[in-house]
Amino acid sequence: MPATSAVRCVPPPCSPLARAPRLPWAVALLTLLAGHYLVWRLGSTLNLSTPLAATISVTALVAELLLLGTSFLQLWLSLWPERPLPVAGLQEPAGGSWPGVDVLVPSYGEPPELIERCLRGCLALDYPHHIVWLLDDSGRPELEALCGRLGVRYLAREEREHAKAGNLNQALQHCKSELIAVFDADVVPLTPFLRRTAALFADPAVGFVQTPQSYMNADPVMRNLRLERWLMPDEESFYRWVEPTRDAVGAVVCAGTSFVMRRAALDAVGGFETGTPSEDLATGIRLTAAGYTNRFLPEKLSAGLAPFTAAAMARQRSRWASGTVQTLRTGANPLTIPGLNPLQRLAYLEGIAHWFNVLPQLLLVLMPLSLGVLGVAPIVVSGEGLLWHAMPFYGAQLLLTRWLSGQARTPLLPELYRWIFLVPVAAGVAGTLVGQPQRFRVTPKALARSRRIGPAKRLVLPLLFLLTLQLVALANLLRPALGLALAPLSSATLTINLTWAGLNLLLLLLALRCCFDRPGLSETPWFAVHMPGLLTGPGLPASGVGAQITAISEAGVELRAQAGATLAEGARGAALSLELPSLPPLPIAIQTSQERQLGCSWGSVSDAEKEQLQAFLYRRPALWPARRAPFEPLSLLVVLLRLLIGCRPETWFKRSALPQHS
């Protein structure tokens, strides 16, 4: 698919994220409308007719207040004056040479070809003094041999305590450079990564520099609903809105990969935090509390792999939630650690509270059952109240979300991520609160060869249970004579409860649809591009045949031959070559064709050609575009259509592909 469709891209040269604008008038408007709404909500909507009704109604109100409180805390933090953007340049730092960097790649069980891709990217960094280390916690001889062939230093350990944090801490005993950079084994940095980050350490107060964590493949929510053109990746709003806000208040979140850290600062806080699987967050908090000025550089300078399946993504989110909550049980607890100012404590606590939100969210999902099953309205309203109090407040949020997030998200569609993983994440948070945190498990970066086709039961069964409850509630609300006798209700109260149950039902259906992983999934990421190419070889004109490349990967390429071009049958089976910008001619074999569309695999390429192809696909400067969310009403229509269409396989000309700058 063309990169220019639906989701728009900001052009090069350096792929900076479009920072969310500071809109004090919008925050003030929302705050006033929220106050107006809450006065009405507290004074006119509670059902206090019986003790049971009062309990349910107040519970719904408390859940809503908790969610509003965390969302408005982020809004108010966004008003803090921005610090100037970090000046990251390609020139040598003033007053001295570039500092040395140890580049650490922790690994545990990832496929060797994926690790090799990361290591080659680290070796190719355009930087004068860096040493690449593979920290292999699986102790595989083939990886040691790979490191010997590439010239990468290899470390393995017999005692594998404290997971990733322990692996990194063990490596620190062998590293001597002034800075360390950390990349997960599925991440490939762009060649200017270190030059654009290391220069910031000329300021001795800087402890670490975090860059955005982005993905080169579509996540399961996007892919399973075929929304690559319509849905923004979930991490975009964090790195475009939340992280810049944290930078402004001096509370940058360390994200675990694609960051550079001052070794002396890390030593000063005792290394990476081992008391939680979220060692990145906790270590960043410790560095901030120690007085270091940490920075967020809003440029897409690397990309990794999103989980391949919905079940793997659920496991990842549950681990993040459990590890973040577990931070409260460590010495990095932002409530108690000395050295943070009140604003920094609030910022870090808001990030932790984000994961607690799943508990009130789950309560609100169940609230329509109160009226539909128990005959008790959790909220009583009048039409006038809805018109003058609720609609202005929620309408303003719908209209302003896109602006406030810097075009990173729309108000409704990203809620799919919350609904799909609501129950697993809530279970992870609840388990951690009672002292049963989830154990650390690496998110799979390959498809299990023996995996069963079909959705994971632990995802589907809770959603089916919630869906059944919503159907019962909705049926009773629509035909109360078949259910419990309902107390006399205003039409507005009945309407809002019907709407509430109906929206829940629709979102649960979409969540269920997302659990069915799209067949034919390729582990090799494909990229949507728009670039010229030239086909040459036997059976073609001497000048070649012009083509437009529409999708490309390490596995092959999809293209459209120029208008009027014809390929003889002999050419279709011949050994052809494809010339692309900045690449030598590469051999291709045509696998399928539809009119002028050709699906081709790469032929036999040499090691040098493979290296050039990987550099072209994963490492070029300004490779990953800063995308902008599309017009949501049209997106919502597409989503509704996806409910009616089966989960079609991924195949030639129907790739799940994210855009690249051509």
Side-chain angles (χ1 to χ4, degrees):
M1 70 190 71
T4 54
S5 60
V7 176
R8 293 184 296 144
C9 300
V10 178
C14 61
S15 291
L17 294 185
R19 299 184 81 183
R22 295 297 191 263
L23 298 174
W25 65 267
V27 176
L29 175 63
L30 285 173
T31 302
L32 288 173
L33 289 174
H36 184 63
Y37 169 79
L38 289 176
V39 169
W40 168 74
R41 186 78 172 81
L42 288 165
S44 304
T45 67
L46 294 178
N47 184 355
L48 306 177
S49 58
T50 67
L52 176 62
T55 300
I56 293 173
S57 191
V58 170
T59 299
L61 175 64
V62 170
E64 187 177 1
L65 289 175
L66 289 172
L67 295 176
L68 287 175
T70 53
S71 64
F72 269 86
L73 181 54
Q74 168 60 24
L75 271 179
W76 295 328
L77 287 172
S78 71
L79 293 175
W80 203 257
E82 295 179 356
R83 290 193 286 179
L85 279 174
V87 180
L90 300 179
Q91 73 282 359
E92 186 171 314
S97 61
W98 290 98
V101 182
D102 283 304
V103 179
L104 308 182
V105 181
S107 165
Y108 185 72
E110 296 87 355
E113 60 274 13
L114 185 149
I115 296 173
E116 181 177 354
R117 188 166 71 199
C118 171
L119 295 178
R120 286 183 179 275
C122 293
L123 289 169
L125 288 166
D126 179 19
Y127 193 78
H129 314 296
H130 73 288
I131 301 170
V132 181
W133 302 75
L134 177 65
L135 316 181
D136 178 23
D137 245 6
S138 54
R140 288 178 284 176
E142 62 268 31
L143 293 184
E144 186 173 9
L146 171 66
C147 290
R149 189 169 74 251
L150 295 178
V152 170
R153 300 194 184 185
Y154 176 85
L155 282 176
R157 57 181 185 147
E158 294 183 2
E159 300 295 330
R160 294 167 185 158
E161 293 182 338
H162 306 306
K164 181 179 176 181
N167 197 6
L168 290 168
N169 284 336
Q170 191 264 354
L172 293 178
Q173 302 173 26
H174 303 270
C175 299
K176 305 300 180 185
S177 298
E178 182 181 341
L179 304 177
I180 65 164
V182 177
F183 298 102
D184 285 345
D186 61 292
V187 173
V188 182
L190 305 188
T191 52
F193 181 95
L194 286 180
R195 285 190 182 266
R196 298 200 67 79
T197 52
L200 301 178
F201 289 88
D203 179 357
V206 172
F208 73 87
V209 175
Q210 179 67 56
T211 66
Q213 181 178 359
S214 54
Y215 296 124
M216 61 179 73
N217 62 322
D219 64 47
V221 179
M222 300 168 68
R223 184 175 58 247
N224 293 346
L225 286 175
R226 293 166 45 223
L227 294 176
E228 295 89 349
R229 296 167 53 192
W230 305 99
L231 179 62
M232 293 287 288
D234 195 32
E235 74 276 2
E236 283 287 322
S237 60
F238 177 79
Y239 288 108
R240 198 173 298 179
W241 186 28
V242 177
E243 192 75 298
T245 297
R246 301 296 184 267
D247 184 81
V249 302
V252 174
V253 174
C254 182
T257 186
S258 306
F259 67 87
V260 182
M261 196 168 280
R262 191 185 299 276
R263 173 62 188 273
L266 188 57
D267 289 342
V269 299
F272 289 94
E273 172 66 54
T274 59
T276 169
S278 293
E279 81 293 328
D280 45 5
L281 170 65
T283 304
I285 293 173
R286 286 188 177 277
L287 287 170
T288 303
Y292 288 96
T293 302
N294 307 309
R295 297 309 310 263
F296 172 64
L297 179 62
E299 294 182 18
K300 291 191 173 186
L301 295 170
S302 66
L305 290 176
F308 287 117
T309 65
M313 194 170 186
R315 180 198 300 182
Q316 180 193 64
R317 295 300 172 94
S318 299
R319 189 189 78 233
W320 287 353
S322 179
T324 301
V325 173
Q326 203 172 342
T327 302
L328 296 174
R329 297 176 180 268
T330 71
N333 183 343
L335 279 172
T336 58
I337 188 172
L340 297 180
N341 64 43
L343 202 59
Q344 290 169 330
R345 294 187 195 279
L346 273 177
Y348 284 125
L349 285 171
E350 189 278 331
I352 295 173
H354 166 80
W355 295 107
F356 280 106
N357 282 347
V358 293
L359 302 178
Q361 285 166 354
L362 189 56
L363 281 174
L364 291 178
V365 170
L366 297 173
M367 277 301 154
L369 305 178
S370 173
L371 182 60
V373 176
L374 301 178
V376 176
I379 178 173
V380 290
V381 297
S382 64
E384 183 181 4
L386 284 177
L387 180 64
W388 294 105
H389 300 274
M391 290 180 63
F393 175 50
Y394 285 105
Q397 290 184 75
L398 292 175
L399 292 173
L400 293 173
T401 295
R402 201 162 177 262
W403 285 3
L404 288 167
S405 65
Q407 310 290 328
R409 62 164 290 160
T410 50
L412 298 177
L413 207 52
E415 292 299 299
L416 276 174
Y417 289 95
R418 173 168 67 86
W419 282 78
I420 297 165
F421 309 118
L422 182 60
V423 174
V425 172
V429 171
T432 306
L433 288 175
V434 299
Q436 297 293 325
Q438 295 199 352
R439 65 183 181 89
F440 181 83
R441 291 196 298 172
V442 175
T443 303
K445 298 301 180 183
L447 294 171
R449 297 294 176 250
S450 60
R451 73 188 185 103
R452 295 190 301 176
I453 303 300
K457 290 182 180 179
R458 67 189 188 94
L459 275 181
V460 168
L461 292 180
L463 291 173
L464 282 174
F465 177 70
L466 291 174
L467 184 65
T468 301
L469 293 179
Q470 297 294 332
L471 284 170
V472 170
L474 195 59
N476 286 344
L477 289 171
L478 289 171
R479 301 179 67 182
L482 299 180
L484 298 176
L486 300 178
L489 297 172
S490 68
S491 58
T493 297
L494 185 58
T495 298
I496 196 171
N497 280 276
L498 279 169
T499 303
W500 195 345
L503 285 175
N504 283 353
L505 183 66
L506 177 61
L507 288 165
L508 286 167
L509 284 171
L510 284 170
L512 272 173
R513 173 66 176 77
C514 286
C515 294
F516 289 81
D517 294 312
R518 190 177 176 188
L521 172 62
S522 170
E523 293 183 4
T524 303
W526 282 76
F527 309 115
V529 295
H530 190 73
M531 66 175 69
L534 182 67
L535 287 169
T536 59
L540 297 180
S543 58
V545 172
Q548 192 70 37
I549 312 304
T550 57
I552 189 170
S553 78
E554 273 192 87
V557 64
E558 295 178 0
L559 56 89
R560 179 181 293 274
Q562 67 184 20
T566 58
L567 297 179
E569 287 302 316
R572 294 182 185 276
L576 305 179
S577 293
L578 177 64
E579 295 182 17
L580 295 173
S582 306
L583 282 177
L586 295 174
I588 60 169
I590 298 175
Q591 301 297 325
T592 187
S593 62
Q594 294 180 7
E595 297 180 353
R596 291 189 293 117
Q597 283 186 304
L598 301 178
C600 311
S601 61
W602 299 115
S604 178
V605 297
S606 66
D607 288 343
E609 289 172 331
K610 178 182 176 181
E611 168 66 18
Q612 288 177 302
L613 180 60
Q614 285 195 354
F616 181 81
L617 291 174
Y618 306 118
R619 306 179 209 150
R620 287 179 288 139
L623 183 59
W624 307 112
R627 307 169 67 198
R628 291 178 178 169
F631 182 57
E632 187 163 69
L634 187 56
S635 305
L636 292 174
L637 288 176
V638 174
V639 171
L640 293 177
L641 287 174
R642 294 293 188 260
L643 276 176
L644 307 176
I645 299 175
C647 203
R648 295 177 178 174
E650 182 178 346
T651 184
W652 292 107
F653 316 122
K654 295 176 182 176
R655 299 287 182 187
S656 176
L658 293 184
Q660 279 188 341
H661 281 311
S662 301

